[in-house]
Amino acid sequence: MREMDCIIVGGGIAGLQAAIQLGRYSSHQVLVVDAGEGRSTLCRTYHNILGYPDGVSGKELRAIGRMQAEQTGVLFEKDRIIEAMRVHEDKIRLKGSSGTLYQAKTVLLATGLSDRIPDIPGLKSTLGRTVYVCPDCDGYEIQGKRTILLGAGEAGANMAMTLIERTDDLLYINHEQTAISADLHRQMKQAGVRYLEAAVQEVQQMGDGHITGVLTEDGQIFESERGFIAFGGNRVHYELAEQLGAVIADNKHVEANPRSMQAAPHVWIAGDLGLHAEQATVAMGEGAIAAIWIHKALQKIAKG
């Protein structure tokens, strides 16, 4: 059994920023348990983060963040937490897929979400480079550029209506050929969105992950400078929060106090797990806020 003052579940952007903040108090035993997955492992380049005008990859940002946290004494463990339970009023026990048990006075859940990304050859290698997921983060990148949106049904149609504000050269390919309401079809047509129902065989690209177009299964090639995806059905990793008594919204995101990010007694959340815009910069802020309030809680526990 590994016992700590705080265990951070998830070593992505939110979890790392929280670890750095907690480590700098120099008074807590902090462990980050991370399975090595998540959105930030897929993103080739974040373009909207302060201090990186030319962009930074998720892999690099995670490596730098871990180094910063370790310099303050924060520990790291590669494992996947599969179960959470309360064993005492002020103790939370976590079980890893490795069989290891962890116990802590406080827990920060930064488990995020996983985008539903079909296994289309060439798609993952372009993500965050020239193909994007979040219009708030990267709508700027398609400004005035020939863009292909790969998606499914109404999730893709709604994204198309957002993206058409950025470029007047937008093709939405409904890869899964799922239904779209007549009203959404009408809106897309009026806005100037071109629409095609076709399965995509390959995302074509140059060697550096720069999309050049897509090849559909009927042999057609559609050229493109940029891409977006919107397939819907993303999976929020809310289960641990639910096991610890947090309130789960209808969309499976976790509700928390917006001031402190506390979701349940001795439990905080940060990042895409919560109800907010899904951005790395937001995740950083929430990680820092949650860490500050965890520090306050640990001080109170220490005083009895």
Side-chain angles (χ1 to χ4, degrees):
M1 174 92 64
R2 299 194 66 175
E3 296 205 26
M4 311 296 293
D5 292 321
C6 180
I7 292 177
I8 297 171
V9 183
I13 307 304
L16 288 170
Q17 187 67 66
I20 291 167
Q21 181 68 34
L22 276 171
R24 288 172 62 85
Y25 287 116
S26 305
S27 56
H28 311 305
Q29 291 181 306
V30 180
L31 173 67
V32 178
V33 182
D34 180 45
E37 299 174 0
R39 268 182 164 179
S40 57
T41 64
L42 296 175
C43 184
R44 300 317 193 270
T45 315
Y46 289 104
H47 296 276
N48 65 331
I49 294 178
L50 177 68
Y52 294 97
D54 297 322
V56 60
S57 72
K59 182 179 179 180
E60 181 181 356
L61 204 56
R62 286 171 67 108
I64 294 171
R66 175 166 178 165
M67 178 187 67
Q68 283 182 259
E70 287 178 329
Q71 287 175 347
T72 67
V74 173
L75 302 175
F76 283 77
E77 183 76 26
K78 185 169 185 181
D79 202 351
R80 183 187 306 277
I81 300 300
I82 57 174
E83 187 178 352
M85 67 198 84
R86 296 182 184 275
V87 291
H88 300 292
E89 184 177 333
D90 61 348
K91 294 284 186 181
I92 294 172
R93 187 170 297 168
L94 306 173
K95 181 180 180 181
S97 59
S98 66
T100 303
L101 294 177
Y102 308 87
Q103 192 160 287
K105 300 169 186 174
T106 60
V107 168
L108 171 63
L109 298 176
T111 47
L113 61 79
S114 298
D115 295 282
R116 187 169 73 87
I117 305 174
D119 188 19
I120 300 172
L123 177 55
K124 285 190 176 181
S125 59
T126 62
L127 288 177
R129 183 85 68 188
T130 52
V131 176
Y132 310 103
V133 174
C134 171
D136 295 310
C137 307
D138 294 308
Y140 177 86
E141 303 299 326
I142 71 167
Q143 191 76 33
K145 291 183 169 59
R146 182 182 298 175
T147 302
I148 291 178
L149 166 65
L150 303 180
E154 297 201 347
N158 286 317
M159 179 68 83
M161 292 304 298
T162 297
L163 298 179
I164 196 64
E165 299 174 2
R166 290 287 193 170
T167 176
D168 59 4
D169 192 348
L170 178 64
L171 169 64
Y172 168 31
I173 300 180
N174 187 348
H175 170 70
E176 296 179 352
Q177 302 171 52
T178 43
I180 299 174
S181 71
D183 184 52
L184 264 177
H185 268 297
R186 183 167 54 253
Q187 289 181 45
M188 286 195 296
K189 185 175 181 179
Q190 290 175 347
V193 177
R194 291 178 292 128
Y195 177 72
L196 175 69
E197 289 188 3
V200 175
Q201 181 174 313
E202 179 187 8
V203 173
Q204 299 182 328
Q205 60 190 290
M206 292 189 290
D208 60 354
H210 193 292
I211 186 173
T212 59
V214 300
L215 170 67
T216 56
E217 288 190 344
D218 60 2
Q220 295 186 80
I221 294 177
F222 298 89
E223 295 182 351
S224 178
E225 297 173 279
R226 295 290 186 272
F228 251 88
I229 63 170
F231 292 97
N234 295 343
R235 181 177 170 236
V236 183
H237 301 289
Y238 69 91
E239 293 85 358
L240 298 177
E242 185 176 55
Q243 291 168 18
L244 293 173
V247 176
I248 312 300
D250 291 341
N251 64 0
K252 300 303 181 183
H253 286 271
V254 179
E255 297 185 10
N257 183 311
R259 184 183 179 199
S260 66
M261 301 310 302
Q262 187 165 7
H266 303 283
V267 178
W268 286 257
I269 67 166
D272 292 345
L273 182 63
L275 286 159
H276 60 72
E278 297 165 6
Q279 293 198 48
T281 50
V282 173
M284 287 179 180
E286 288 187 347
I289 289 169
I292 290 168
W293 285 89
I294 290 170
H295 169 63
K296 294 177 187 291
L298 288 171
Q299 283 184 313
K300 187 175 181 180
I301 291 171
K303 292 177 180 176

